Amino acid sequence: MTAAGLLLATSDPANVPRHVAIVMDGNGRWARKRFMPRFFGHEQGMETLLRVIDLFADRGVEYLTVFAFSSENWKRPDEEVSGLMNLVLIGVAKYLRKLATQGVRIRIVGDRSGVSHKLRAAWDEAELATASNTRIHLSVAFNYGGRWDIVQACQRAVRDGLRPDQVDESALAGRMALSFAPDPDLFIRTGGEMRISNFLLWQAAYSELYFSDCLWPDFGTTEVDAALAAYARRERRFGDVHAPEVVPQGA
Ligand code: FPP
């Protein structure tokens, strides 16, 4: 595709992903390169997230889902775990008003039973304060794991009294943590690793995967636009060989 064709492709709203999911990896390495503690990297990662929400919203992305704390992150040193929990409280206190006025709707997805009362209260406050916003839906996956999500959806189906023959894909999809959102079109992982790491296992079945070497705190306008341009060039078939190839106008 020519440069002009690519510009046309990315400016066509039909080629903008509705839903972007991100594994925000590389905070620790970013801090280490600066001889700073890992928490410093997470703090910068939070600032980056704030900028990235706005960049994606400006480009027409409707849903953004970020992996902030995985079910496996409890295995990290106590100091780092409590640092990440504190960062949530700091983030809500510092940025909630700004996000609310920018039209961001916040939801927290994950196992709330595992986190403190104080943290749950902060999540509730963030969700309530932004409940009527529509510019972009931000889902923060916290104490989340893709396997946990599938298991909890099955448990809900059992609790709802479904018979085995009633348990189909739509019954489970409607009980998953992100049941309010379309499946992610674009799945980004920063930090150079090429893994899904138990994020959105169900929902990412047909997501386009995009891996960036950029460490999360450095992810900015250039990287956002590169990811969206790569997505615009992809041909999505959802398993169907007969699906028409999408040829962007001007290509
Ligand atoms: C992975 O990088 C990052 C995390 C486990 C935390 C992600 C958190 C943020 C970006 C801050 C925003 C936080 C909230 C609560 C919204 P890593 O620590 O594994 O980095 P490394 O691979 O370089 O060690």
Side-chain angles (χ1 to χ4, degrees), residues 24-30 38 42 45-46 49 67-68 73 76 80 84 87-88 140 142 216:
M24 308 177 288
D25 197 14
N27 294 344
R29 278 166 284 162
W30 187 90
R38 293 177 60 81
H42 295 315
M46 169 90 90
L49 176 58
F67 210 2
N73 284 157
R76 294 191 176 209
E80 185 170 351
L84 281 164
L87 199 54
V88 174
V140 180
F142 202 92
W216 174 249

